[in-house]
Amino acid sequence: MGFLGSMIFNAFFPHLIVTLLMKTYAPGLLTALLLNVPINTVILYKLHKQNFIRVKEIIISTVVVGILLLVMIPFLFTLGGSLINY
């Protein structure tokens, strides 16, 4: 569940915020806004409506997964840089 919430959050930070601040398109913005937000919102809504998850669980799991993903970013950039030789 946290992954779905994080995907929604990820559409706005960093994609939308970077686009607005830098006044240039951030790769992935359209995918995030047009696919990730609507699809993941519908999934979370239906899961909540059918009593599979509570709002509290969505919020907590989104925060935990979001923090883990933020912590992993430097490692992933380092890994990607070592795999790609320019």
Side-chain angles (χ1 to χ4, degrees):
M1 298 316 128
F3 182 73
L4 298 174
S6 294
M7 293 300 289
I8 294 169
F9 179 74
N10 182 263
F12 300 102
F13 178 80
H15 293 98
L16 182 60
I17 292 173
V18 168
T19 295
L20 295 174
L21 292 176
M22 304 298 281
K23 297 180 182 171
T24 184
Y25 176 74
L29 176 64
L30 288 178
T31 302
L33 293 178
L34 298 178
L35 291 176
N36 291 345
V37 171
I39 291 170
N40 290 321
T41 301
V42 168
I43 293 169
L44 287 173
Y45 172 77
K46 288 187 180 235
L47 288 171
H48 175 66
K49 188 174 179 179
Q50 295 175 359
N51 293 319
F52 285 112
I53 56 172
R54 297 184 308 230
V55 172
K56 182 179 178 180
E57 293 169 329
I58 295 170
I59 293 170
I60 291 171
S61 62
T62 298
V63 169
V64 170
V65 171
I67 290 170
L68 290 172
L69 290 173
L70 287 173
V71 168
M72 288 174 45
I73 288 173
F75 169 74
L76 294 173
F77 273 103
T78 302
L79 179 64
S82 68
L83 295 175
I84 298 173
N85 298 321
Y86 289 101

